Amino acid sequence: HMAASIPRHRQLVIAQTELLKLLAQQASSKDREVRVALCHLVINLTWQEDDAEAQQCAARAAELKRLGFHSKMESLKLQDRDLDVRERAKTAAWQIEQATY
């Protein structure tokens, strides 16, 4: 759970573009736990500790959007068969939207 740690750790995770591309593919995993974990990753990466982190948070959210995570979260929140996944995806999509405005 590096992404749930300090802002510097979130920055280290978001810099791993190739890893994030591979993780984005897991949005269609048959395992609900994998889909929930992916939502938690997005939620953690778009979490803003305080106002001083706003710019970094916005940059992380923009990168996630660029990598297709926002559209994947939108899809999960509307179409996933599991309520927990839908709720986590709703939070993840909302946080991406809030951070990129």
Side-chain angles (χ1 to χ4, degrees), residues 40-89:
H40 278 289
L41 174 68
V42 173
I43 290 166
N44 290 335
L45 287 174
T46 55
W47 181 257
Q48 181 180 323
E49 290 290 322
D50 53 33
D51 289 340
E53 195 190 5
Q55 189 174 8
Q56 287 181 329
C57 183
R60 290 192 305 269
E63 179 67 3
L64 289 171
K65 207 173 212 181
R66 187 185 73 76
L67 293 171
F69 279 89
H70 186 257
S71 61
K72 296 205 182 281
M73 293 300 111
E74 286 290 326
S75 178
L76 287 175
K77 87 175 190 182
L78 296 173
Q79 299 172 357
D80 200 272
R81 62 188 171 273
D82 186 88
L83 176 62
D84 192 30
V85 173
R86 288 194 310 268
E87 289 301 311
R88 303 295 158 239

Side-chain angles (χ1 to χ4, degrees), residues 2-42:
M2 269 185 74
S5 185
I6 61 176
R8 185 174 52 115
H9 289 169
R10 286 192 282 278
Q11 291 304 117
L12 288 171
V13 173
I14 201 71
Q16 307 306 312
T17 307
E18 293 305 312
L19 175 61
L20 290 171
K21 286 178 185 176
L22 293 172
L23 288 172
Q25 297 171 10
Q26 298 304 311
S28 59
S29 173
K30 292 180 180 180
D31 186 341
R32 70 167 291 285
E33 293 296 325
V34 171
R35 297 189 313 275
V36 168
L38 185 64
C39 293
H40 278 289
L41 174 68
V42 173

